[in-house]
Amino acid sequence: MSKKINLKIITHEKELFNEEVDGIYSRSVEGEFGILPDHQPFMSALDIGVTRADVNGEMEYFTTMGGIFQFKDNEALILTDLAERGSDIDVTRAKSAKERAEARLGSHEVEIDNARAQIALAKAMARLKAALKK
């Protein structure tokens, strides 16, 4: 029997995921990383992006909108304000959000909050990546 990692993804509202996985791949603020069973303890701040979990050879995709990743003794924990299963994402809505963010960034209005538009674009892109890789 091969070793597994218990992965929990928890938001303020609910426990989104709590299963045994073979590997975890995500994006920290410093770059992408992967975790396999018996990895050394690891902790990192997550960036807006997609977290992939290898569940018995099948990849499950989640958006993770920042947060904290912690790994120790084959227990992985993601604490984040917002996370979604790729299969639950409304692709049409995510595409619309992406288009709105791109339009805001492309406009030459002085009052535009560029940082907010960049974050909205990153979130929409993460949702689309997670949803389309089902």
Side-chain angles (χ1 to χ4, degrees):
M1 184 169 131
S2 64
K3 286 195 174 186
K4 301 274 187 173
I5 298 168
N6 178 255
L7 170 62
K8 291 181 184 178
I9 301 175
I10 300 172
T11 70
H12 293 294
E13 297 175 0
K14 63 183 174 184
E15 182 177 270
L16 181 66
F17 186 81
N18 184 358
E19 291 186 34
E20 299 287 314
V21 302
D22 298 306
I24 304 162
Y25 309 90
S26 194
R27 182 173 184 80
S28 76
V29 295
E30 296 177 358
E32 293 187 12
F33 66 89
I35 301 288
L36 296 173
D38 295 329
H39 193 285
Q40 69 183 25
F42 178 78
M43 185 175 205
S44 185
L46 292 177
D47 201 355
I48 294 170
V50 176
T51 296
R52 301 181 322 260
D54 179 353
V55 183
N56 300 318
E58 296 286 324
M59 283 294 181
E60 288 213 34
Y61 296 86
F62 303 87
T63 60
T64 43
M65 306 300 183
I68 299 291
F69 178 89
Q70 180 180 5
F71 179 83
K72 184 178 177 188
D73 298 329
N74 290 324
E75 298 282 331
L77 176 64
I78 293 175
L79 297 174
T80 181
D81 289 334
L82 179 63
E84 301 162 286
R85 281 183 187 268
S87 58
D88 293 340
I89 293 170
D90 181 340
V91 174
T92 304
R93 185 174 174 217
K95 284 181 181 177
S96 294
K98 178 181 176 278
E99 291 167 4
R100 282 192 311 274
E102 288 173 336
R104 279 190 303 234
L105 288 169
S107 77
H108 298 289
E109 294 178 28
V110 177
E111 296 137 21
I112 196 89
D113 185 345
N114 196 35
R116 186 172 164 204
Q118 290 282 358
I119 291 169
L121 180 59
K123 287 181 177 182
M125 297 285 288
R127 285 185 174 108
L128 288 170
K129 285 179 187 176
L132 299 176
K133 292 184 179 183
K134 302 184 226 185

